[in-house]
Amino acid sequence: MARQDGVILLKGQLGGLSFYKTAKDGHLARQKGGVDAKRIRTEAAFARTRENGSEFGRAGQAGRLLRTAFRSLLLNSSDSRTVPRLTQKFTEVIHADTTSLRGARNVVDGDMSLLQGFEFNIDGKLRQTLLAQYSVEVNRATGLVTINVPQFVPAELIAAPTGATNFRLVASVSELDFAADRYNSEVAESEENITGLEAPVTINMPLEVTVGSTSPLVVVLGIEFSQVVNGAMYSINDGSYNALAVVAVDSEG
């Protein structure tokens, strides 16, 4: 892969080269090539390629399901590389499956705990923005998931961007059925708080899941910033500062 440079930037194919444009890296060029698709589908020599492709496809589908489950929060809290980064993480989850044959390894039999700590916005990480301690409690018997941020001083423990006057915490839990490609999510958010507040606040956000659910549960926590101008509230939603991360994974039903 090479970067195009010059006055005329190309798109398409020319002389054995493919020219294309990406959002992050601009105009690029690469040499055409590769093995015939029919050979990959049928020849024994490409058995490993087919196995890897099957598992990679499974990882991509799992990543898409997770992104869809938390879509309302990801709209303002993700980066341009979230999709490939999440697919890579689910590939690691699938490769941790020690019971299924290669090519048949899957998310449910893998290690879902590897998702713990995944940051959806690499440019605005939760661990570098919300410095206060918090806890996550998952109770399948009662169907209650609780995120608790004990008493903290925002002016000291919120790393707010320049111009932000307010913040709120957002959270969501999702029951994920990877086999059926289904999910059930609930979202909660805190009240708006002043970023420079020097008085202590406590934040508690309860979320509900199906009582006795046996599906894998993923919990995310994030922070969104806003600015008050002439009495009106405006979201700072360019994605550079809002953070969202996986803070709990409970795969045992």
Side-chain angles (χ1 to χ4, degrees):
M1 180 178 69
R3 189 183 304 276
Q4 295 186 55
D5 190 18
V7 177
I8 300 176
L9 300 174
L10 304 176
K11 289 185 181 180
Q13 298 180 350
L14 178 66
L17 295 175
S18 294
F19 300 89
Y20 59 101
K21 180 182 179 181
T22 66
K24 188 174 183 65
D25 299 318
H27 290 79
L28 304 175
R30 65 186 173 194
Q31 189 172 17
K32 293 170 58 180
V35 181
D36 181 74
K38 184 177 179 180
R39 292 182 60 196
I40 294 177
R41 291 195 304 269
T42 59
E43 292 186 11
F46 296 101
R48 289 290 176 267
T49 301
R50 291 194 293 274
E51 292 167 356
N52 292 336
S54 177
E55 293 181 351
F56 182 78
R58 210 166 287 131
Q61 183 180 20
R64 181 192 58 77
L65 180 64
L66 189 70
R67 296 195 314 275
T68 304
F70 298 125
R71 185 176 186 277
S72 63
L73 300 185
L74 285 173
L75 289 174
N76 295 326
S77 304
S78 60
D79 62 63
S80 62
R81 300 281 184 167
T82 296
V83 174
R85 291 194 301 106
L86 189 57
T87 299
Q88 176 58 40
K89 184 57 65 175
F90 269 112
T91 299
E92 296 174 16
V93 171
I94 288 172
H95 286 175
D97 177 359
T98 60
T99 61
S100 305
L101 296 177
R102 175 181 273 179
R105 292 179 295 186
N106 60 85
V107 172
V108 175
D109 294 320
D111 185 1
M112 286 277 292
S113 69
L114 293 173
L115 293 173
Q116 181 82 29
F118 181 84
E119 297 274 1
F120 290 94
N121 185 5
I122 206 72
D123 300 317
K125 297 178 181 178
L126 183 67
R127 63 177 179 269
Q128 296 175 351
T129 307
L130 175 62
L131 307 180
Q133 296 293 314
Y134 59 84
S135 63
V136 183
E137 181 181 349
V138 177
N139 191 325
R140 289 180 180 266
T142 63
L144 187 63
V145 175
T146 305
I147 297 177
N148 182 52
V149 187
Q151 196 173 77
F152 72 101
V153 177
E156 299 175 355
L157 296 176
I158 297 294
T162 302
T165 59
N166 293 68
F167 76 93
R168 68 176 179 179
L169 299 188
V170 294
S172 182
V173 60
S174 187
E175 305 171 57
L176 298 161
D177 186 338
F178 292 101
D181 198 33
R182 292 197 301 252
Y183 67 90
N184 177 37
S185 300
E186 178 169 313
V187 177
E189 57 186 46
S190 72
E191 295 181 352
E192 293 281 346
N193 287 279
I194 299 174
T195 56
L197 185 65
E198 297 185 354
V201 298
T202 299
I203 296 176
N204 183 274
M205 291 185 289
L207 295 157
E208 293 184 357
V209 296
T210 304
V211 175
S213 172
T214 59
S215 298
L217 302 177
V218 175
V219 184
V220 298
L221 175 65
I223 185 168
E224 297 180 352
F225 293 100
S226 56
Q227 183 182 62
V228 174
V229 179
N230 296 329
M233 184 83 70
Y234 298 90
S235 297
I236 298 180
N237 57 3
D238 63 0
S240 299
Y241 306 107
N242 296 336
L244 187 73
V246 175
V247 294
V249 178
D250 191 318
S251 57
E252 297 297 329

